[in-house]
Amino acid sequence: NPIGLHRLLIAFEGVPFRWLWTSILFSSMSQGVRMLAQGWLVLEITDSPFWVGLVAGLQGLGLVIFGAFGGTIVDRFDKRNVLGAVHAIGGAVAFITSTLVITGYIELWHMLVIALIQGLLMATQLPAVNSLAYQIVGPERLLNAMATRLMAMNLSRVIGSLLAGALIHKYGVGSGYILAGSSSIVGLGFLWFVKGNFQRSSQIEPFWQATSQGLKYIWRTSNIRRLLMLSILMEAFGFSHLIMMPVMARDVLNVGAVGLGYLSAASGIGSTLSTLVVAGLGDFKSKGALLTGTSLCTGISLVLFAFSWWFPLSMVMVALVGASIMAYDVTMGTMLQLISHDDMRGRVMGVYGLTFGFTPVGGFFAGSVATVSSAPIAVALGGIIITTYVASIIRYITGINPRAS
């Protein structure tokens, strides 16, 4: 079926999803601004891409360590309340960071601790928002809901990147953290209007037993295993280019904080356009083929972005990276939820969220490579790894049919 504009907003027919979408818009702005501010602040403190990667790596470590437990928490408690607690804590951490920066007391060890806390929060936030969206819209509208959810994230990234770049340039990095904290609290306010029954299931198992059962279920289900392995590689070598973006902006393209804001905004624009296209596909049947094509496009466009030395071309290439990687992300999140049993979905999405921890881990790897060689080599290497791996498993990915599972 052709892409129809009337299908772009299917998920919005339910009032709770409209409030959730608005909440995601502001909470995602907070997350995106924090990532930009964190990279720039660590670069100011250390003048080293290695430490930019290491701080991001600690955030990933927190996510990886707590990922499976975060999913279990989501399955056992009211999902809206869990998400609200995450937004409140995240906003408080951002305001504390801004205070340390503005008063001149910020030190590198503060950033290491803050990054670890943010990783722990993300380990719970990701499965909570995904499971909440599934409960609100149901399986038939899930692809549309996932696409429009990520569209909100990318719209906020465009706006937040431009605001953060201008604020950091004029008032310093502390103002970026104030913007991040404020956005998180506004997102919490809109979440309050999401009405519905999001309580845990009636079956209550011991916490460790529930987590163990979730991991065993994932290991037994080969399709879920393959998808999660692909997610690890995409997170480590694809999304990690965002962590190297401050280094690319300052040391390769020589465009400063304002240019960094433009680069991040270009990525967000590409991501937004691609999520609009995916949202218009409705309940697209060939999700495996879509996942394959977007993964390959991500790897190739990363290599092209890495070796561009002309700023306008770099903006075009990073927009292409953003478009392909976000279309991949929508499809991956949808497929995992559709092939998971209802009582395991939160735990599966928790482990899926755990794979997001490999983005900062990949950032640490990229920072190390950039220190030894250069930032373009580090980014391009990630693209080559992705392209090679996806090409080797095409037949397995395209053969996954969520409807048949």
Side-chain angles (χ1 to χ4, degrees):
N1 294 330
I3 296 174
L5 291 178
H6 67 284
R7 289 186 291 175
L8 287 177
L9 303 177
I10 292 175
F12 286 86
E13 292 179 0
V15 174
F17 185 78
R18 297 177 205 168
W19 288 116
L20 177 63
W21 189 90
T22 310
S23 174
I24 291 169
L25 184 70
F26 285 95
S27 60
S28 297
M29 183 183 296
S30 174
Q31 186 174 336
V33 170
R34 279 201 309 267
M35 180 178 289
L36 280 182
Q38 174 181 288
W40 196 259
L41 179 57
V42 174
L43 205 55
E44 283 187 346
I45 294 173
T46 66
D47 196 34
S48 168
F50 172 81
W51 282 106
V52 174
L54 181 59
V55 171
L58 267 181
Q59 180 175 319
L61 182 63
L63 209 164
V64 169
I65 290 173
F66 200 67
F69 305 120
T72 303
I73 289 173
V74 170
D75 275 340
R76 291 171 67 89
F77 297 99
D78 185 297
K79 297 171 179 60
R80 191 191 69 159
N81 292 343
V82 170
L83 192 57
V86 168
H87 290 339
I89 297 170
V93 170
F95 285 128
I96 291 171
T97 307
S98 69
T99 302
L100 290 172
V101 173
I102 293 170
T103 57
Y105 285 104
I106 192 71
E107 296 182 15
L108 182 59
W109 73 266
H110 293 139
M111 297 305 299
L112 297 174
V113 173
I114 290 167
L116 186 61
I117 293 172
Q118 288 176 345
L120 296 176
L121 293 175
M122 285 178 64
T124 305
Q125 177 183 351
L126 294 167
V129 74
N130 283 326
S131 297
L132 195 58
Y134 181 91
Q135 261 190 281
I136 290 172
V137 304
E140 293 181 356
R141 299 182 181 185
L142 184 60
L143 183 63
N144 181 268
M146 294 291 287
T148 51
R149 178 182 71 82
L150 289 176
M151 182 176 66
M153 292 177 59
N154 293 309
L155 282 172
S156 69
R157 186 148 63 97
V158 174
I159 299 168
S161 297
L162 294 174
L163 287 175
L167 285 171
I168 292 172
H169 175 73
K170 190 168 184 178
Y171 301 108
V173 73
S175 62
Y177 278 103
I178 292 176
L179 175 60
S182 302
S183 301
S184 188
I185 298 305
V186 173
L188 172 62
F190 280 108
L191 185 65
W192 178 259
F193 294 99
V194 179
K195 303 300 182 183
N197 180 18
F198 309 115
Q199 298 289 337
R200 55 175 166 76
S201 61
S202 57
Q203 184 179 3
I204 303 176
E205 304 164 311
F207 185 86
W208 293 102
Q209 180 181 342
T211 302
S212 174
Q213 287 185 352
L215 294 174
K216 288 177 181 177
Y217 169 74
I218 290 168
W219 183 253
R220 292 195 308 265
T221 311
S222 58
N223 284 344
I224 293 178
R225 281 206 322 270
R226 291 190 184 102
L227 289 178
L228 290 175
M229 179 57 67
L230 174 60
S231 182
I232 289 174
L233 292 176
M234 288 294 291
E235 296 297 332
F237 301 110
F239 283 95
S240 60
H241 81 281
L242 296 170
I243 295 170
M244 283 292 101
M245 206 174 283
V247 182
M248 293 289 290
R250 194 193 74 164
D251 298 343
V252 178
L253 298 169
N254 301 309
V255 292
V258 174
L260 170 62
Y262 281 123
L263 276 177
S264 184
S267 175
I269 290 171
S271 300
T272 301
L273 293 176
S274 72
T275 50
L276 277 172
V277 172
V278 176
L281 294 176
D283 190 18
F284 188 66
K285 295 180 180 179
S286 303
K287 295 181 179 68
L290 183 61
L291 189 70
T292 302
T294 53
S295 300
L296 286 173
C297 186
T298 297
I300 295 169
S301 55
L302 271 172
V303 176
L304 296 176
F305 166 66
F307 291 116
S308 168
W309 298 86
W310 185 41
F311 184 57
L313 180 60
S314 295
M315 289 182 64
V316 173
M317 288 297 100
V318 82
L320 182 59
V321 174
S324 55
I325 206 167
M326 201 53 59
Y328 148 84
D329 206 26
V330 173
T331 312
M332 172 65 80
T334 302
M335 290 178 67
L336 279 172
Q337 295 205 67
L338 290 177
I339 66 177
S340 299
H341 292 158
D342 289 343
D343 58 347
M344 290 289 176
R345 186 168 295 110
R347 276 163 279 191
V348 170
M349 298 311 290
V351 175
Y352 174 50
L354 179 155
T355 68
F356 287 23
F358 285 86
T359 294
V361 171
F364 170 63
F365 170 80
S368 301
V369 173
T371 302
V372 174
S373 180
S374 68
I377 292 295
V379 174
L381 182 59
I384 292 170
I385 291 172
I386 289 171
T387 304
T388 303
Y389 179 76
V390 174
S392 70
I393 60 166
I394 284 180
R395 67 183 186 275
Y396 299 109
I397 302 176
T398 54
I400 298 177
N401 179 10
R403 292 173 178 271
S405 299

